[in-house]
Amino acid sequence: PSQRVQRGPFAFAAAPGAAPVRGNGRLVVVSHGSGGAPWVHVDQARSLVAAGFVVAMPEHRADNARDGSDPGPDSWTQRPAEVSRAIDAVGRDPRFAPLLRLDRVGLYGISAGGHTALSLAGGRWSPAAFARHCDTHLDEDFQFCVGLITRLTGGPLDGLKRWGARTVIRHRFAADTRVREDHDPRIAAAVAGVPGAADFDLASLATPRIPLALIGARQDRWLIPRFHGDAVLAACRPRCELLADLALGGHGSLLSPQPPALDGLIGDLLNDPPGFDRAAVRAAEPATTSFFSRHLLP
């Protein structure tokens, strides 16, 4: 029987400690966004579990709600290995190992987690490419480049903010031209929601190595669609698919449940835009579950 469970600010129904039962034998890993928490994906996880999947929701090191000390390219570099270690951990767990076949695993990622999904679908990127994009498109894609540190307001300090952002990004990332390529042969399908993607070589995503789907949000002001999800979709179609495109959705509209009581810059970026109907999210969740059923099940 389920009970009310509290995880930080999130409350939801769950049955902690209950014995797992045999489902469809497949695992899906959920990769949360920058500064995020696994619990904002509980509703999607519930949809997957109802269809028979086991769902693992790792917390990414130094880029989560409890510790946001190292977001950006440093986190993007380590996240794919963290997904692989999550698969390993579930495979060693005596509760789950007898119930699973780990030769075909799904990956669902949102925002920075979408970047992780694209990496493991065959995308190549580098910190230097991130620096080049931000040098060229800083004003247009400011929050991708600087995160939640500050924003442009049209005020007299904007020039200083631009100078500071370019200086830090060039110093930390411009010389790092090493191309990141990640591969885990167990991952057989991926969904990338509102992904960070402007640092990818789009040619590497033209033919994804696994079935790939995207979810977009037209009002996303953190990861401007034309630089990120739209660019990937244009590169990979028809070899990838668009599961949903939320016409009035913002960057945080795929989070379900939403983080409560967000204000300031993070609230502006993650709270639903005026007029957005959360029924669109409830429609995207079964579409994602259906995608994994089509590509992971016999």
Side-chain angles (χ1 to χ4, degrees):
S2 64
Q3 57 186 275
R4 186 179 185 274
V5 173
Q6 191 79 34
R7 295 289 184 269
F10 299 97
F12 48 88
V21 297
R22 186 171 299 278
N24 62 28
R26 296 301 184 190
L27 172 70
V28 175
V29 179
V30 174
S31 177
H32 65 73
S34 184
W39 315 115
V40 294
H41 303 298
V42 163
D43 290 342
Q44 179 64 72
R46 195 182 303 278
S47 173
L48 289 161
V49 168
F53 292 96
V54 171
V55 178
M57 300 192 295
E59 182 180 75
H60 289 292
R61 183 175 66 84
D63 189 21
N64 61 70
R66 299 188 300 167
D67 175 9
S69 60
D70 200 12
D74 292 340
S75 174
W76 306 338
T77 297
Q78 70 189 16
R79 278 166 167 261
E82 292 174 342
V83 169
S84 294
R85 290 199 295 273
I87 299 171
D88 296 340
V90 174
R92 291 192 301 267
D93 192 311
R95 298 169 298 171
F96 297 105
L99 308 178
L100 290 170
R101 304 185 306 280
L102 296 178
D103 57 315
R104 297 183 63 78
V105 174
L107 174 59
Y108 173 81
I110 297 296
S111 190
H115 190 286
T116 307
L118 295 177
S119 294
L120 286 163
R124 298 189 299 270
W125 68 278
S126 71
F130 166 76
R132 286 195 301 273
H133 171 78
C134 291
D135 198 52
T136 303
H137 298 289
L138 183 64
D139 277 27
E140 302 156 282
D141 207 16
F142 193 77
Q143 302 310 147
F144 171 67
C145 297
V146 305
L148 297 172
I149 298 171
T150 188
R151 61 174 143 186
L152 299 178
T153 64
L157 295 179
D158 281 1
L160 182 61
K161 294 174 186 177
R162 294 184 184 99
W163 174 84
R166 283 195 168 94
T167 299
V168 171
I169 290 169
R170 287 170 180 165
H171 175 72
R172 290 191 61 188
F173 304 117
D176 190 348
T177 59
R178 294 171 297 169
V179 174
R180 272 55 168 176
E181 295 184 75
D182 298 289
H183 182 51
D184 187 319
R186 299 169 295 186
I187 296 175
V191 174
V194 291
D199 53 340
F200 278 92
D201 172 6
L202 292 176
S204 69
L205 289 166
T207 308
R209 68 163 64 106
I210 58 175
L212 173 66
L214 287 91
I215 304 173
R218 292 294 96 204
Q219 308 305 315
D220 190 340
R221 294 190 293 119
W222 193 333
L223 299 175
I224 306 302
R226 68 187 177 96
F227 293 122
H228 300 281
D230 287 1
V232 173
L233 195 64
C236 67
R237 269 182 162 172
R239 295 178 177 86
C240 62
E241 60 183 281
L242 182 65
L243 291 182
D245 198 15
L246 310 182
L248 297 178
H251 189 70
S253 293
L254 289 175
L255 307 182
S256 183
Q258 276 193 306
L262 296 179
D263 56 14
L265 175 56
I266 192 170
D268 289 345
L269 294 174
L270 292 186
N271 290 334
D272 287 340
F276 179 70
D277 185 351
R278 294 224 122 229
V281 186
R282 292 190 289 274
E285 289 163 359
T288 296
T289 299
S290 175
F291 174 83
F292 285 123
S293 295
R294 284 187 280 120
H295 292 291
L296 298 180
L297 302 184

